[in-house]
Amino acid sequence: MTNDLLIVHASELLTLRGPKRARAKAEMSELSIVQDGAVAVSDGIIVDVGKTESVLKEHDAKGVDKIDAKGRVVMPGFVDPHTHLVYAGSREFELELKAKGKSYMEILQQGGGIYRTVSDTRSASTDELYQQSAVRLESMIAHGSTTIEAKSGYGLDKSVELRILETVKKLGADYPTDLVPTFLGAHAVAPEFKGNPEGYIDFVVSEVLPEVSKRKLAEFCDVFCEKGVFDVHQSRKVLLGAKSLGMKLKVHADEFRSSGGAELAAEVGAVSADHLVKPSDEGIMAMARKDVVGVMLPGTPYSSFSKDYADGRRLIDLGMPIALGTDLNPNCWNESMQFTISLACHKMRMTPAEAITASTMNSAAALGLEKKVGSLEHGKRADILVLDIPKHTHIPYRFGTNLCYLVMKDGKTIWRKHQSMAT
Ligand SMILES: [Zn+2]
């Protein structure tokens, strides 16, 4: 059999072999680990997976790139299904205010919060916006993310929302990672529509959405459905508008209180509902019935000094397939799925295996990519990580450091540990 890359002798090869859909309940604990495992790759596609001995019998090792992963974990690349990658500026000054106990409203009054980022993003040049976002993207790749969703939502007008999505497109073309673009024009009420969310929603649906669709700039449409932002009625308007234009749907749902977001996600056939810190039981059951993936973002309460984490244990036990994302944004500058996994274990009572499934197979499903990435199986893209740890349980255990040794996209090494060190 032909192949051009062999990875051999992994101490643990996490294949996540199984049905090509989001995994729920006990399935989330099953990583299908092969000890002394190997992967054969041809033309960027996985052609064999198994014990090193049997893979070497089938595949000629002569003249092909061979990576010895002895003592290391080999696993699918992380899929980060929820990021606000493209924005300008930073809001590090808010950390001190939060530490002193200031409320979100007080921070807003002192020039912080989302409108600070909207202002910074609107005034940034196209080149500045690209450069600032590219630095983050490089860091995400270095931490093992090989497929990344990226939302708009810091323009809140027509031209800047389009500019953000154009920037996502250019970054996706320039960097060896897949970026999945999402239009989140309804992220907050634009300053020009203060006190008039209904008017802003009408503007988004009639003026911005059609242009996004015409220029094919977004695969998904998302909306911030939350009491005090956009209610269920307004959110439904945006989602159905996007659906009629052929976009897939996501919902920022029930982050601060149960606002009907989970129910709405099930009703409109969303691919995922995200945050879900306070969903109702009915909302959870409706999502489970309609196979809506629940995307949990534990970086957000962490960076917000909040004790309110989604109850991962309860949601898994109720049958919801759970994915994890960084929620990278100026309030939660988290570029690492490894750290997100650690937070999920420590703060949401997920096990290491569940959190890994949630960051690979289930997060692929949260982007509709479950047939292409998220597991190491014959026919899937060779998006592969070699980690500098002997067992997968070290990922949440050793937090705050980058455990990647090699990051591969389509069978090509795109990041390597110590790559910048002089030798
Ligand atoms: Zn978000």
Side-chain angles (χ1 to χ4, degrees), residues 60-313:
D60 193 356
K62 264 187 227 127
V64 303
D65 282 341
K66 201 158 130 197
I67 293 167
D68 188 347
K70 194 160 188 270
R72 297 192 166 105
V73 166
V74 173
M75 65 171 288
F78 294 122
V79 178
D80 187 346
H82 185 132
T83 87
H84 304 251
L85 170 68
V86 177
Y87 57 84
S90 63
R91 304 207 317 251
E92 74 294 335
F93 61 91
E94 291 179 10
L95 186 93
E96 194 174 327
L97 298 172
K98 290 176 202 165
K100 288 178 176 163
K102 300 281 183 212
S103 71
Y104 179 73
M105 284 316 289
E106 287 170 309
I107 291 172
L108 214 57
Q109 278 152 16
Q110 294 191 25
I114 184 170
Y115 294 108
R116 166 67 172 253
T117 302
V118 170
S119 162
D120 288 348
T121 303
R122 284 180 176 184
S123 56
S125 71
T126 302
D127 193 45
E128 282 167 347
L129 197 55
Y130 176 91
Q131 293 302 338
Q132 292 187 27
S133 306
V135 173
R136 290 187 281 272
L137 180 57
E138 285 173 20
S139 170
M140 295 165 100
I141 292 169
H143 286 82
S145 294
T146 49
T147 302
I148 299 166
E149 186 256 15
K151 303 174 195 295
S152 70
Y154 292 112
L156 307 183
D157 65 3
K158 190 169 174 179
S159 65
V160 182
E161 284 294 312
L162 292 170
R163 191 141 64 89
I164 293 171
L165 291 171
E166 297 276 10
T167 304
V168 172
K169 192 173 176 184
K170 184 160 167 44
L171 287 165
D174 293 353
Y175 282 86
T177 182
D178 286 316
L179 289 187
V180 179
T182 296
F183 172 60
L184 177 60
H187 191 194
V189 179
E192 293 76 12
F193 286 84
K194 200 172 176 213
N196 181 17
E198 200 71 45
Y200 180 61
I201 289 292
D202 287 341
F203 166 75
V204 166
V205 173
S206 62
E207 301 279 325
V208 194
L209 250 181
E211 195 62 26
V212 170
S213 164
K214 200 172 100 191
R215 297 200 203 174
K216 295 193 172 38
L217 286 174
E219 275 180 45
F220 283 88
C221 179
D222 192 349
V223 61
F224 207 114
C225 180
E226 189 79 42
K227 228 170 226 148
V229 190
F230 299 110
D231 64 22
V232 168
H233 168 74
Q234 291 154 353
S235 302
R236 185 187 287 116
K237 231 184 207 179
V238 175
L239 295 170
L240 293 182
K243 197 176 186 177
S244 73
L245 295 168
M247 289 185 206
K248 291 177 275 185
L249 309 178
K250 289 181 168 289
V251 185
H252 273 68
D254 305 324
E255 180 178 353
F256 304 109
R257 54 182 76 86
S258 179
S259 308
E263 289 88 337
L264 178 65
E267 176 199 317
V268 299
V271 177
S272 76
D274 302 30
H275 282 295
L276 298 175
V277 177
K278 300 273 171 82
S280 68
D281 284 354
E282 301 79 66
I284 296 170
M285 302 316 277
M287 281 178 61
R289 275 196 301 276
K290 293 289 238 7
D291 293 325
V292 184
V293 180
V295 178
M296 310 283 132
L297 308 159
T300 315
Y302 177 81
S303 63
S304 305
F305 287 59
S306 165
K307 291 187 176 66
D308 282 341
Y309 288 83
D311 190 344
R313 195 65 281 130

Side-chain angles (χ1 to χ4, degrees), residues 277-410:
V277 177
K278 300 273 171 82
S280 68
D281 284 354
E282 301 79 66
I284 296 170
M285 302 316 277
M287 281 178 61
R289 275 196 301 276
K290 293 289 238 7
D291 293 325
V292 184
V293 180
V295 178
M296 310 283 132
L297 308 159
T300 315
Y302 177 81
S303 63
S304 305
F305 287 59
S306 165
K307 291 187 176 66
D308 282 341
Y309 288 83
D311 190 344
R313 195 65 281 130
R314 169 173 166 251
L315 296 174
I316 290 172
D317 293 343
L318 283 170
M320 184 188 283
I322 287 185
L324 287 166
T326 58
D327 196 22
L328 167 67
N329 74 69
N331 178 54
C332 169
W333 198 305
N334 170 20
E335 293 155 353
S336 169
M337 287 297 285
Q338 298 171 47
F339 179 59
T340 305
I341 286 171
S342 191
L343 281 176
C345 293
H346 287 94
K347 299 291 189 179
M348 294 168 56
R349 298 187 299 144
M350 289 172 72
T351 66
E354 287 169 344
I356 289 168
T357 301
S359 303
T360 52
M361 193 59 211
N362 283 10
S363 48
L367 295 176
L369 295 173
E370 63 277 9
K371 294 190 170 61
K372 294 185 175 144
V373 295
S375 61
L376 299 183
E377 296 178 90
H378 188 278
K380 282 212 166 175
R381 293 173 67 176
D383 296 358
I384 301 172
L385 308 180
V386 181
L387 301 178
D388 227 349
I389 47 174
K391 289 182 187 158
H392 69 279
T393 42
H394 283 237
I395 301 175
Y397 170 61
R398 291 165 59 172
F399 55 89
T401 188
N402 187 5
L403 303 170
C404 286
Y405 180 73
L406 284 180
V407 180
M408 276 178 259
K409 179 76 186 169
D410 295 323

